[in-house]
Amino acid sequence: MKKMAIYILCFVMCVWTVAASASVTIAVITPKAGVHARQGEEIFTGVQHAVDGINAAGGLLKQKVKILPIDDQCSNNIAISTAQMLTLSKQQNPVLVIGPYCQNAFADVTDTYSRAGMLQIIPTAISVALKNVKHKGLIKMLGYSSQQAKDFFAYYNKHLAGEKVALIHNPDDKESLAIAEAIRDEFQTHGKSILLQNYTYDDEGNDGKVKYDVLAAKIVAQGNKIAFVTGTEKNIRKMARYLKSERASFMIFTDRYTASEKYFDYLGDDADGTYFMSLNGQINEPDLAEEMVQLRLSGFEPEGLALYGYSAVKIWEQLVKKAGSFDYAKVSKKINNNKIETTLGSYYFSGGEPKQSEKYIVQRYHNGTLEKID
């Protein structure tokens, strides 16, 4: 409780010290430590670059844009208190909230921002369980994480049908659990549940320590040649290493962003042959090439989720320009049925959701590069 009080006090002081003259503020809520710190850093980097570009061009509607970074620590309590403190601040009310990354008390948090008249953009895919949470100023930029399961199954059914798949997840990690549930639903929907075997890191744990070697041996012995590995960054890379140790040809699929760059450093040559589920916007499609070149020439090399943090700001920038105002009601009216162009392509929103969740593609890591696999 004492730690929470100190956090809130520091947060308030931080807000009060932000200059408010001829400027508007956007709050970026991402984890700065813990298992999701890497993803949080990537999103913030993208937001920062987009804001720098706006300010270098003279600002937005002649006002400079300031960033208020907030670490909600992926905690329900801090996420709620953060939302409350932001809405109570009289000196510097953000006109936009980007995040949170973690789906902490999602319904309560989004309701708080909506009632306070703060636009909110979620720059990552969220659980389909939150489909009914809607507000006029809430944008679920990429749609739902269940799309990853659909696209994984489509690839599996086309190229690997009939093979057993080990689905490995961490029940204590909400993101891991949501993806695992979506994959199970997809196999069940297509009548192929018998080919999917479920494992958790608790299966062979002892005193809180995961026995990755024992779990890997069990997975291989039970006839699996393929695994979809979810969990924390550490879970994924350690599980992959032991599966590869058991069988060098073992096919590993995982989420590109959770695995992060540490995956390649940790596995070294053993990373070769890993299959990653990546958001389609990461690929340099021909119609996106020109803007991507311009970004790189400006010194910005989008890594991981950085492109999505960048695009969240660009979506907001276009909405504000269309509305000719930062006013919540006016900007919210421009969300639906308007074409919005970003580095990721054209967006059309209905009820704050994209007409279709952002698709995932399969990339195979080979000889130091990621190759798109059809």
Side-chain angles (χ1 to χ4, degrees), residues 283-296 343:
I283 302 303
N284 293 333
E285 302 289 355
D287 57 337
L288 304 181
E290 184 176 348
E291 187 166 359
M292 288 297 293
V293 168
Q294 292 303 315
L295 284 174
R296 285 171 174 148
T343 314

Side-chain angles (χ1 to χ4, degrees), residues 294-361:
Q294 292 303 315
L295 284 174
R296 285 171 174 148
L297 287 175
S298 70
F300 178 58
E301 184 66 42
E303 180 180 317
L305 294 171
L307 195 56
Y308 298 91
Y310 177 88
S311 294
V313 176
K314 302 305 285 185
I315 286 174
W316 169 69
E317 180 186 16
Q318 288 189 55
L319 290 172
V320 169
K321 287 180 176 179
K322 288 178 184 292
S325 170
F326 295 105
D327 180 75
Y328 174 79
K330 292 178 180 179
V331 175
S332 295
K333 286 181 179 179
K334 300 299 180 182
I335 293 174
N336 295 317
N337 304 316
N338 269 301
K339 183 179 181 181
I340 303 170
E341 295 287 357
T342 77
T343 314
L344 302 177
S346 301
Y347 275 83
Y348 291 90
F349 293 100
S350 177
E353 300 178 4
K355 293 295 180 71
Q356 180 178 317
S357 292
E358 184 83 2
K359 280 189 166 293
Y360 288 75
I361 51 91

Side-chain angles (χ1 to χ4, degrees), residues 156-192:
Y156 165 84
N157 208 35
K158 180 178 179 180
H159 299 285
L160 304 166
E163 296 286 357
K164 287 184 177 181
V165 179
L167 176 60
I168 311 166
H169 74 282
N170 184 338
D172 296 324
D173 184 89
K174 291 182 180 179
E175 186 176 350
S176 173
L177 185 59
I179 293 174
E181 289 175 345
I183 291 174
R184 283 197 295 266
D185 289 345
E186 201 66 24
F187 272 74
Q188 184 175 9
T189 298
H190 292 85
K192 297 195 175 183

Side-chain angles (χ1 to χ4, degrees), residues 151-160 253 275 362 373-374:
D151 294 331
F152 166 68
F153 182 83
Y155 180 87
Y156 165 84
N157 208 35
K158 180 178 179 180
H159 299 285
L160 304 166
F253 289 78
Y275 293 78
V362 179
I373 306 295
D374 294 326

Side-chain angles (χ1 to χ4, degrees), residues 187-251:
F187 272 74
Q188 184 175 9
T189 298
H190 292 85
K192 297 195 175 183
S193 294
I194 195 171
L195 297 170
L196 191 69
Q197 299 191 71
N198 293 281
Y199 302 88
T200 73
Y201 298 104
D202 296 333
D203 287 348
E204 301 300 330
N206 182 25
D207 297 330
K209 295 182 179 179
V210 181
K211 292 185 177 179
Y212 292 97
D213 54 343
V214 178
L215 182 55
K218 178 180 178 180
I219 289 168
V220 172
Q222 291 182 346
N224 298 286
K225 297 179 181 178
I226 305 165
F228 195 106
V229 185
T230 74
T232 66
E233 185 182 90
K234 178 181 177 181
N235 288 153
I236 291 171
R237 64 175 183 261
K238 289 184 76 71
M239 193 73 253
R241 163 161 285 180
Y242 283 103
L243 285 170
K244 285 287 190 179
S245 295
E246 286 291 324
R247 180 182 291 160
S249 61
F250 202 95
M251 295 181 69

